[in-house]
Amino acid sequence: MNNQFEVLIVGGGNAGLSVAAQLLQKKSGLSIGIVEPSEKHYYQPAWTLVGAGEFDITETEKNEKDYIPAGSTWIKDAVATFEPEQNQVTCKSGAKYTYKILIVAPGIQIDWQKIKGLNDTLGKNEVTSNYSFDVAPYTWELIKNFKGGVAVFTNPSTAIKCGGAPHKIMYLACDYWRKKGILDQCEVHYISGAGVIFGVKEYAQTLEKVVADNHILTHFGANTVAIDGKSKTVLYEQKNAEGEIVQKSLNFDMCHAVPPQSAPDFIKKSPLADPNNALGYVEINKNTMQHSRYSNIFALGDCTNAPCSKTGAAIRKQAPVVVENTLRVLAQQTPTAEYTGYSACPIPTQYGKLMLAEFDYSNTPKMTFPFDQAKPRWTMWLLKKYLLPWLYWNRILTGKA
């Protein structure tokens, strides 16, 4: 196999494949290597709908080989170390690859172990998470078989991919229980490390009403630290009135947990990591997506320290910027394309209705459609359930959208 590439891409997920496909459309014949160890590729945004009984989990999984762009080289390996001074990476197999431009897009790491006991009880003992392909269907089992009692939904204090996911499933569960006639027998708790339900006030107002209508008990600024499935207990930390951190516990009959997330370990310990970011994200210019210290390295997607939401919609706007700036640097020109922090979060508020929240770095709404997107609509539900998955597999990964 060739060990030298004009462009080497680390990660064959949404970001890596989109960029590779777009680069080849702009400059056919470019030598591109894609380092990705996984045989399977997942459309993770649908896992909320899987957990709500509205989507088949098998339709979210495809073979990675079917989406590697023609003209690129799939390196089925994982990066172990970066050697940016030598324009080189070393993989776990020991193989070394050199590049003119490196594009870093391995996604985010889910730190299941940071909630004590979660790994031992996940997928059983009424503890579930839509962040796992194997466990998301169990969420639906729990929701549809729930007879009433205490349901706990957790959200960590770290940034996570698809920031709305921890509460999306909660709204759908409440709507299902209302239709089943048991919502008044349910005590629903939302334990969140965030300070508010949503960071953009125009959309937050809608969600605050949904929370109130469902009588959800919110615990903000609260960090879940342990889950004991056998004793049905969740332990969390929260500051009291004096500002001291105190531990509190809740007994549950059902728990949907979302663990903390961070940059992958091989990024954290690399020279590419932001030294001022405890979670180890790649240090970039948030507009050009170029590394702050290495001019021939770019990064996009969930692995960066850009202060945007970590969503597929953000990647869709970042990819063309990385593509244009990569081609400029290859041509020994200055990067000029800029990403403004656009992200989107489709939040179902009940079965058949969804609010499409779109915003930028300044948390200013950036609405695509000619109507008030803070109002949940059935058309946006159709967009989420049918159109977006089709677009992902057929247009986004192929570089056409």
Side-chain angles (χ1 to χ4, degrees):
M1 182 188 282
N2 175 29
N3 284 49
Q4 295 178 312
F5 295 94
E6 288 173 283
V7 178
L8 186 66
I9 299 173
V10 178
N14 180 354
L17 294 185
S18 299
V19 165
Q22 289 181 37
L23 277 170
L24 287 165
Q25 283 170 15
K26 296 257 185 182
K27 190 178 181 183
S28 63
L30 198 63
S31 70
I32 297 178
I34 303 170
V35 185
E36 172 55 59
S38 304
E39 290 270 6
K40 299 293 183 182
H41 189 106
Y42 298 97
Y43 179 64
Q44 297 176 41
W47 290 355
T48 289
L49 295 179
V50 170
E54 286 284 310
F55 210 94
D56 183 348
I57 190 74
T58 62
E59 291 181 15
T60 70
E61 181 187 54
K62 310 268 188 187
N63 290 320
E64 177 75 11
K65 65 180 173 61
D66 295 336
Y67 293 90
I68 299 290
S72 65
T73 301
W74 180 16
I75 303 163
K76 215 171 98 183
D77 205 340
V79 169
T81 58
F82 294 90
E83 295 95 42
E85 309 294 346
Q86 288 80 44
N87 297 325
Q88 177 179 278
V89 304
T90 301
C91 289
K92 286 186 176 176
S93 67
K96 297 179 186 294
Y97 298 92
T98 59
Y99 55 82
K100 288 183 180 176
I101 301 282
L102 179 69
I103 298 174
V104 185
I108 202 166
Q109 177 174 289
I110 301 181
D111 295 322
W112 301 100
Q113 76 286 355
K114 288 187 180 173
I115 296 179
K116 186 182 176 185
L118 178 56
N119 265 328
D120 297 330
T121 195
L122 190 64
K124 56 188 177 184
N125 299 321
E126 285 68 50
V127 178
T128 189
S129 179
N130 288 342
Y131 277 79
S132 163
F133 173 82
D134 294 328
V135 178
Y138 183 56
T139 304
W140 173 233
E141 294 299 314
L142 296 183
I143 289 172
K144 72 177 178 182
N145 294 321
F146 200 62
K147 302 287 193 290
V150 178
V152 174
F153 297 82
T154 80
N155 182 26
S157 55
T158 65
I160 57 173
K161 58 180 168 183
C162 193
H167 49 125
K168 292 177 188 182
I169 191 62
M170 177 172 68
Y171 305 141
L172 291 169
C174 287
D175 187 45
Y176 184 81
W177 296 331
R178 173 183 280 107
K179 287 170 178 162
K180 203 174 171 183
I182 63 163
L183 186 59
D184 58 352
Q185 297 158 49
C186 301
E187 185 181 301
V188 181
H189 291 261
Y190 182 54
I191 302 173
S192 175
V196 291
I197 196 69
F198 200 76
V200 182
K201 70 176 190 301
E202 288 83 352
Y203 304 121
Q205 290 168 352
T206 297
L207 297 180
E208 284 162 2
K209 184 174 187 308
V210 176
V211 166
D213 289 347
N214 288 305
H215 307 293
I216 295 166
L217 302 165
T218 56
H219 311 262
F220 290 116
N223 194 38
T224 300
V225 293
I227 294 173
D228 187 325
K230 289 183 178 170
S231 69
K232 300 282 190 290
T233 307
V234 58
L235 195 68
Y236 62 98
E237 294 178 340
Q238 197 173 25
K239 286 183 180 176
N240 63 14
E242 287 73 47
E244 303 162 328
I245 294 175
V246 294
Q247 282 202 342
K248 301 179 181 180
S249 68
L250 257 176
N251 287 100
F252 62 81
D253 298 290
M254 171 197 158
C255 178
H256 179 273
V258 177
Q261 294 168 32
S262 64
D265 287 339
F266 72 96
I267 298 278
K268 277 194 194 85
K269 64 186 183 188
S270 79
L272 308 189
D274 178 354
N276 300 311
N277 185 296
L279 297 174
Y281 290 110
V282 180
E283 183 182 17
I284 62 164
N285 176 302
K286 70 177 186 177
N287 299 118
T288 64
M289 313 303 288
Q290 186 179 36
H291 198 278
S292 305
R293 288 170 281 118
Y294 303 105
S295 61
N296 66 333
I297 297 178
F298 291 87
L300 74 159
D302 298 347
C303 71
T304 80
N305 69 344
C308 58
S309 290
K310 297 182 183 297
T311 66
I315 290 168
R316 189 163 166 261
K317 296 293 187 179
Q318 291 168 6
V321 171
V322 170
V323 167
E324 186 174 331
N325 287 340
T326 292
L327 293 174
R328 288 188 69 84
V329 171
L330 277 173
Q332 299 182 320
Q333 297 171 340
T334 304
T336 54
E338 295 206 335
Y339 166 66
T340 59
Y342 171 87
S343 190
C345 195
I347 303 178
T349 53
Q350 63 188 80
Y351 282 82
K353 284 205 174 174
L354 184 139
M355 174 181 75
L356 182 61
E358 295 180 287
F359 47 94
D360 62 11
Y361 277 136
S362 64
N363 277 346
T364 303
K366 293 289 175 185
M367 299 186 186
T368 298
F369 298 98
F371 49 72
D372 181 8
Q373 286 178 212
K375 181 183 176 184
R377 298 168 189 269
W378 71 271
T379 50
M380 297 295 96
W381 171 271
L382 297 178
L383 177 83
K384 164 80 173 170
K385 186 173 177 180
Y386 299 107
L387 183 58
L388 291 180
W390 184 90
L391 280 173
Y392 183 76
W393 296 115
N394 295 284
R395 309 296 293 176
I396 292 171
L397 291 188
T398 58
K400 295 171 186 156

